[in-house]
Amino acid sequence: MNILSINAFQILTVTIFFAVLYAAAIAVLFKNRSGILPYLALILFPLIGPLGIIVGNYTKKIK
């Protein structure tokens, strides 16, 4: 029963992960001077939006 419990350290770790993910995505958007749609993706899709922005910027640099 104790295996499935969520403690404060796990909540704090996930919160810091999301904060860093959002900060990186917003920095990429500001650097690229993006329009309103990527910002809406950040709001509407809390996990997939920032990941898509960061991965999309990374693949754009490779090409």
Side-chain angles (χ1 to χ4, degrees):
M1 206 63 175
N2 197 12
I3 295 172
L4 298 177
S5 65
I6 298 173
N7 58 18
F9 179 73
Q10 292 170 335
I11 294 172
L12 184 64
T13 303
V14 170
T15 304
I16 291 172
F17 171 74
F18 274 111
V20 169
L21 189 64
Y22 268 82
I26 290 173
V28 167
L29 291 179
F30 277 138
K31 187 180 86 172
N32 293 340
R33 299 178 187 227
S34 300
I36 191 72
L37 288 177
Y39 292 103
L40 286 175
L42 283 176
I43 295 169
L44 295 176
F45 306 107
L47 180 62
I48 298 172
L51 285 175
I53 291 169
I54 293 170
V55 170
N57 186 48
Y58 180 72
T59 57
K60 188 171 54 173
K61 285 184 178 180
I62 290 175
K63 291 182 180 181

